[in-house]
């Protein structure tokens, strides 16, 4: 398996046809767009008691849902600024006022998260067969530049993988999605990311690694992420809640 690590904070020059080592031989496209590819967000409707339950306590179920809504809005706004062929929200629930214009909404299907991720890739690719970058709603610190770079890397690599600090992954990009790459991978496990990356390697895919990001799982994570994105909706929501305590 060919693995390359990309810069954690790519500047303008990092988007300019970076050569890659060994296979694949194609170059990473320069920044600009629109890109021939799509960005997909997989998320739950931020309903009290159904989302971010690991934040309870110290937060209430209502506060946890409000933080989830803020994180989701930050994520969708970042995606909305990516010059992709299409932007997709794979949603468990119903759209709300946090959804910007310009998104195709698809229902999630499947039982476990591995099945829902596999089905989301499959459904999005069936409607538009182009390279696909998928993220969740747990990284409100994500920027359009990160997503642009991940999408552009699929011009040179078979897959792009964003490891998470909790052992999972916050981003997965596939040039040609295959449900078998995800089905059966144990989710919400400290070894999830390692197992998923190994699965990509066993399939013979070339993989580019994105920066490691912290996902909002716990209250401690929430404060770390808010500090990384101080002007986000998420940071503002967390600050309001903290001021009331």
């Amino acid at each position: 398996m060919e693995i390359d690590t990309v810069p954690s904070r790519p500047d303008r020059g990092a988007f300019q046809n970076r050569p890659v080592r060994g296979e694949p031989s194609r170059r990473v496209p320069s920044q600009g767009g629109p890109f021939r590819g799509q960005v997909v967000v997989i998320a739950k409707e931020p309903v009290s008691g159904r989302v971010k339950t690991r934040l309870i306590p110290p937060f209430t179920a209502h506060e946890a849902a409000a933080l989830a809504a803020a994180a989701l809005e930050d994520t969708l706004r970042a995606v909305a600024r990516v010059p992709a062929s299409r932007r997709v929200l794979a949603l468990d629930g119903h759209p709300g006022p946090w959804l910007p214009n310009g998104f195709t909404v698809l229902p999630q299907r499947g039982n476990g998260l591995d099945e829902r991720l596999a089905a989301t890739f499959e459904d999005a690719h069936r409607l538009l067969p182009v390279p696909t970058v998928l993220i969740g709603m747990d990284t409100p610190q994500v920027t359009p530049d990160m997503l642009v770079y991940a999408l552009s890397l699929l011009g040179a690599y078979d897959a792009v993988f964003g490891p998470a600090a909790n052992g999972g992954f916050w981003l997965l990009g596939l040039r040609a999605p295959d449900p078998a790459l995800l089905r059966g991978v144990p989710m919400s496990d400290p070894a999830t990311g390692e197992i998923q990356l190994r699965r990509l390697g066993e399939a013979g895919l070339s993989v580019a690694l994105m920066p490691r990001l912290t996902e909002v799982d716990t209250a401690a994570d929430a404060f770390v992420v808010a500090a990384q994105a101080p002007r986000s909706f998420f940071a503002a929501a967390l600050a309001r809640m903290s001021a009331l305590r």
Side-chain angles (χ1 to χ4, degrees), residues 11-204:
D11 57 18
R12 184 179 181 83
F15 295 100
Q16 305 301 319
N17 291 334
R18 292 180 66 250
V20 298
R21 294 175 285 135
E23 293 294 333
S25 60
R26 280 186 279 180
R27 290 186 170 192
V28 177
S30 60
Q31 188 180 20
F35 288 101
R36 186 177 177 274
Q38 59 189 330
V39 181
V40 180
V41 179
I42 185 167
K44 287 183 179 180
E45 179 185 2
V47 176
S48 179
R50 292 193 64 236
V51 292
K52 293 293 162 211
T53 54
R54 292 184 62 188
L55 296 179
I56 311 168
F59 299 101
T60 66
H62 177 76
E63 288 173 330
L67 288 172
L72 179 54
E73 186 166 4
D74 284 321
T75 302
L76 293 172
R77 284 176 178 255
V79 173
R81 294 172 58 194
V82 176
S85 302
R86 189 176 65 169
R87 303 164 193 85
V88 178
L89 172 63
L91 184 62
D92 177 5
H94 303 283
W98 33 261
L99 178 63
N101 294 328
F103 279 78
T104 299
V105 180
L106 300 177
Q108 292 182 27
R109 60 184 179 90
N111 294 317
L113 180 56
D114 62 320
E115 290 186 11
R116 287 185 280 126
L117 289 170
T120 294
F121 270 111
E122 189 175 28
D123 293 345
H125 195 257
R126 183 187 300 114
L127 293 177
L128 186 65
V130 295
T132 302
V133 165
L134 181 146
I135 62 173
M137 58 185 287
D138 299 330
T139 50
Q141 74 272 45
V142 72
T143 67
D145 281 354
M146 290 179 186
L147 299 175
V148 165
Y149 199 37
L151 194 59
S152 71
L153 285 167
L154 290 176
Y157 294 86
D158 299 316
V160 181
F161 184 83
N166 62 6
F169 57 94
W170 67 272
L171 178 148
L172 180 61
L174 296 170
R175 187 187 297 168
D178 180 353
L181 294 172
L182 287 140
R183 288 177 182 156
V185 174
M187 298 291 163
S188 301
D189 184 280
T192 293
E194 178 184 351
I195 295 169
Q196 181 62 75
L197 189 58
R198 186 187 311 133
R199 179 75 66 90
L200 299 176
E202 289 171 348

Side-chain angles (χ1 to χ4, degrees), residues 52 55 58-59 67 138 140-141 214-229 232 234-235 238-239 241-242:
K52 293 293 162 211
L55 296 179
F59 299 101
L67 288 172
D138 299 330
Q141 74 272 45
T214 298
E215 294 185 309
V216 179
D217 284 335
T218 66
D221 296 333
F223 286 99
V224 169
V225 170
Q228 293 172 348
S232 63
F234 181 82
L238 184 62
M241 294 171 194
S242 300

